[in-house]
Amino acid sequence: MLREASRLFAERGFHGVGVDEIGAAVGISGPALYRHFAGKDAMLAELLVGISSRLRDGGLLRTEEAAANGLSPERTLDALISGHIDFALDDRALITLHDRELDRLPADERKRVRRLQREYVELWAEVARAAHPELDERQARATVHAVFGLLNSTPHLSRPHTLPDRDDTAALLHRLARAAFAAAAG
């Protein structure tokens, strides 16, 4: 339900989609959605809070696994980049949805999303500074935001079928992200 809702919201905007259309996309009646969600607003909150939480938790897991396996900071940064690339290529609709609809969330949910995002940025900045000690905190944070902008540009690149295949696109994005960190480090 949430995947179809995110796709529809990204294509036509939050207010351009009704519960009947979401229901039809998953093979149920629109009113049946109310068994799972209080309404479209609750779906939007679940989508945006959920992806922010998933990104942060995935980043924490990657850094914990890297530490447990004795990976270098550079390899840990590679793991974070790869994880975010998977999100950027597989959940393009959520990126569009976030860009367009975050302001529609109630203030408390919007603050929760922003808090989760800050935690995710700080996690990356810490790893970036370990991999590139010449970066100070502000430079690391700014570079992380720039890399997120690069990776999260996937909905704007083109239609998915006109991009290189997924593996080639992922490899290209990975090289570009690594180059951004190297350039920031001087």
Side-chain angles (χ1 to χ4, degrees):
M1 280 186 259
L2 288 173
R3 184 168 294 280
E4 284 302 309
S6 69
R7 181 185 62 78
L8 291 168
F9 292 158
E11 285 176 4
R12 298 201 310 258
F14 180 73
H15 289 300
V17 177
V19 292
D20 290 333
E21 294 167 279
I22 298 168
V26 296
I28 62 174
S29 71
L33 289 174
Y34 294 113
R35 291 185 204 138
H36 305 279
F37 298 96
K40 280 188 353 179
D41 292 334
M43 293 179 90
L44 181 63
E46 178 68 27
L47 286 163
L48 295 180
V49 171
I51 193 55
S52 296
S53 181
R54 192 175 94 205
L55 284 168
R56 192 249 354 238
D57 293 350
L60 287 169
L61 181 62
R62 283 179 182 80
T63 58
E64 290 167 1
E65 288 175 349
N69 292 318
L71 296 184
S72 68
E74 293 82 6
R75 296 287 307 266
T76 304
L77 187 58
D78 283 334
L80 288 173
I81 292 168
S82 292
H84 199 94
I85 287 170
D86 287 343
F87 158 69
L89 292 175
D90 297 339
D91 291 313
R92 293 165 55 138
L94 284 173
I95 295 170
T96 301
L97 185 63
H98 178 276
D99 288 348
R100 290 185 190 159
E101 309 293 350
L102 181 63
D103 290 341
R104 298 204 189 285
L105 287 181
D108 59 328
E109 295 293 336
R110 194 169 48 250
K111 285 179 187 175
R112 188 170 170 210
V113 167
R114 293 293 190 203
R115 179 183 50 79
L116 289 163
Q117 290 173 335
R118 277 191 306 276
E119 291 171 6
Y120 187 54
V121 167
E122 291 307 316
L123 174 69
W124 273 65
E126 183 179 321
V127 172
R129 290 193 67 217
H132 298 282
E134 54 279 3
L135 294 175
D136 66 28
E137 286 181 40
R138 289 184 346 206
Q139 292 169 328
R141 207 173 291 115
T143 306
V144 168
H145 281 288
V147 167
F148 287 171
L150 167 74
L151 299 180
N152 291 344
S153 70
T154 56
H156 311 290
L157 293 175
S158 183
R159 301 243 183 258
H161 65 278
T162 62
L163 293 172
D165 73 25
R166 188 191 189 290
D167 290 342
D168 289 344
T169 301
L172 172 63
L173 290 171
H174 200 105
R175 286 192 310 275
L176 291 170
R178 289 294 277 148
F181 282 110

